[in-house]
Amino acid sequence: DAVKYFESEKKDRDRAMAVAELILCSPQMADLDYYSLFLDIIGYYRWKEEFPVALRWAYTLITFGEQHENGLNRDNHVRDLAEIYLQAGDLNTGLALFTRLALASPGDIWNYNTLGLILPRVGLPRLATEILDHALALISKSDPEHLAKQLTQQRQMIEDTSDRSAEIS
């Protein structure tokens, strides 16, 4: 209720996130949507480009997910973590995490979808093009998530801007 109060009535996102952090740091558990609190805090620090803080919360979410959800959303949590590393400029770590996800679940279209969105923004448009071409080939056989249109649009919107591929080891 305090988080909602600061967000909606006071329009004070900083205080709302401070309250959410206090809730998540508390040793007491309640009947709350902790997952949403984590995602809000991680998104907030990503938006503020405070990537070290966003990474800490992303790791905390992974731990929470393992402890309380038995790893149910592990891939989603690791995808978020990898995306933050890419946004923070740590291309090697972000791509290594995505590589592990892709090797573990080569047919998981969400890995390719996420990469298709983030790679052009972090200066890797050519890699994004390759990833999206692979994704489109993958879903040409089966598209249960109905992402063909979105992936096609992502592919068409990529501009061949400056490329940071040389920074990847």
Side-chain angles (χ1 to χ4, degrees):
D1 290 341
V3 172
K4 289 178 186 173
Y5 169 77
F6 282 117
E7 281 187 337
S8 60
E9 292 185 35
K10 291 291 186 181
K11 307 290 187 229
D12 189 342
R13 186 90 169 130
D14 293 333
R15 283 199 177 137
M17 292 300 96
V19 170
E21 286 179 337
L22 289 171
I23 293 168
L24 291 174
C25 290
S26 171
Q28 298 174 335
M29 295 291 292
D31 187 24
L32 297 174
D33 185 357
Y34 287 96
Y35 187 69
S36 290
L37 289 173
F38 276 112
L39 292 180
D40 283 349
I41 287 174
I42 293 166
Y44 171 75
Y45 284 113
R46 286 172 74 176
W47 173 75
K48 290 186 80 157
E49 296 186 1
E50 293 182 23
F51 299 117
V53 181
L55 286 168
R56 283 194 301 272
W57 281 111
Y59 278 110
T60 306
L61 174 58
I62 290 170
T63 303
F64 178 85
E66 295 299 318
Q67 291 174 340
H68 299 280
E69 300 174 337
N70 296 318
L72 179 65
N73 291 306
R74 181 180 301 131
D75 288 352
N76 291 336
H77 301 328
V78 174
R79 242 189 312 274
D80 289 343
L81 180 69
E83 196 173 349
I84 296 167
Y85 272 112
L86 290 173
Q87 284 181 298
D90 188 345
L91 302 179
N92 290 320
T93 302
L95 291 173
L97 287 168
F98 270 113
T99 300
R100 292 179 109 186
L101 286 168
L103 290 173
S105 301
D108 188 346
I109 197 66
W110 294 106
N111 294 326
Y112 308 109
N113 183 49
T114 303
L115 283 167
L117 290 168
I118 191 71
L119 290 177
R121 288 188 253 150
V122 299
L124 296 171
R126 290 184 203 118
L127 184 56
T129 300
E130 288 179 40
I131 296 285
L132 288 169
D133 287 344
H134 180 75
L136 288 166
L138 185 67
I139 62 172
S140 69
K141 300 169 190 153
S142 174
D143 186 16
E145 304 290 341
H146 306 289
L147 289 173
K149 183 178 178 183
Q150 177 186 331
L151 293 170
T152 301
Q153 289 173 342
Q154 283 175 236
R155 174 68 173 85
Q156 292 168 346
M157 292 174 50
I158 293 176
E159 296 178 22
D160 196 7
T161 57
S162 63
D163 196 88
R164 298 174 59 194
S165 296
E167 297 175 36
I168 302 170
S169 67

